[in-house]
């Protein structure tokens, strides 16, 4: 499974990976013919009324992966930072997901307090996850959190299967990132940012939607309700809009 998933990461012909937040959204995306579907930690957190990136949705994430395995689609799971700083515990989690047929995981170094996990710790987490036979997409939140050296982190995570730096929107900067690593590069699609064709042109291998589809679904629900009232269309809620409604991490 992971090798078939790996083969979808072709620089210049990027995998478009839509992100689901529950079984229904995953089934709809699978029905659209996508070869693979990912999950979004923000969507999963919001569905269950828990904070995002706070390590609070381990069980819910595994449960979603278990239901998605019934779909005829490869699955990549956003496991935040692995829900632990202990490589052994992360290895156990990834082994559980691999046993469910999950093809890949997304592991981030950003923490709920706005800091980055120490490089050595995240390297060990990546190594523990890779030992379970899934595609490990190493995400660094240097741009998202505005701290740390992006290229230093990308080089340090070179033993992963892919690299993900959310928050990049400048095409030239994305091209330089692609040139800086032999690993397939994942970019988060942003409305108003580079198009899929432009990202393909600079060698990006994977484009994911993150929380976009979940946020768009909320706008769609409000649009339908406002239409009943004869009101104007709402704006697309931002990531910050959603996280502001969720409980604080404990």
């Amino acid at each position: 499974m992971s090798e078939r998933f790996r083969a979808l990461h072709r620089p210049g012909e990027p995998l478009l990976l839509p992100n689901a937040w529950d079984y229904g959204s995953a089934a709809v995306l699978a029905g659209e013919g996508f070869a693979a579907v990912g999950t979004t930690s923000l969507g999963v957190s919001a569905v269950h009324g828990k904070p995002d990136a706070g390590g609070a949705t381990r069980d819910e994430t595994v449960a979603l992966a278990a239901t998605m395995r019934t779909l005829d689609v490869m699955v990549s799971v956003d496991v935040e930072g692995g829900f632990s700083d202990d490589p052994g515990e992360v290895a156990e989690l990834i082994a559980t997901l691999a046993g469910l047929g999950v093809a890949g995981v997304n592991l981030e170094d950003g923490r709920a307090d706005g800091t980055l996990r120490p490089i050595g710790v995240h390297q060990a987490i990546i190594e523990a996850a890779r030992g379970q036979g899934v595609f490990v997409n190493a995400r660094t939140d240097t741009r998202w959190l505005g701290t740390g050296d992006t290229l230093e982190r990308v080089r340090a995570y070179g033993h992963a299967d892919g690299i993900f730096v959310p928050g990049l929107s400048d095409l030239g900067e994305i091209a330089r990132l692609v040139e800086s690593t032999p690993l397939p590069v994942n970019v988060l699609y942003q409305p108003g940012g580079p198009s899929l064709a432009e990202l393909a042109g600079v060698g990006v291998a994977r484009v994911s939607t993150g929380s976009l589809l979940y946020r768009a679904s909320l706008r769609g629900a409000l649009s339908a309700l406002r239409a009943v009232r004869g009101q104007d269309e709402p704006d697309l809620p931002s990531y910050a809009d959603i996280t502001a409604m969720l409980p604080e991490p404990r």
Side-chain angles (χ1 to χ4, degrees), residues 126-152:
I126 292 169
E127 188 64 31
R130 286 203 73 227
Q132 310 312 311
V134 300
F135 184 102
V136 177
N137 202 37
R139 169 178 144 179
T140 181
D141 287 342
T142 52
R143 292 304 299 270
W144 218 321
L145 298 179
T147 185
D149 184 316
T150 299
L151 292 184
E152 178 188 20

Side-chain angles (χ1 to χ4, degrees), residues 9-10 29 50 73 102 123 144 163 168 199 233 250:
H9 294 71
R10 298 185 293 269
L29 295 172
K50 294 185 176 183
V73 66
V102 166
Q123 286 177 318
W144 218 321
I163 289 291
L168 292 178
L199 293 171
E233 290 261 336
R250 293 183 179 180

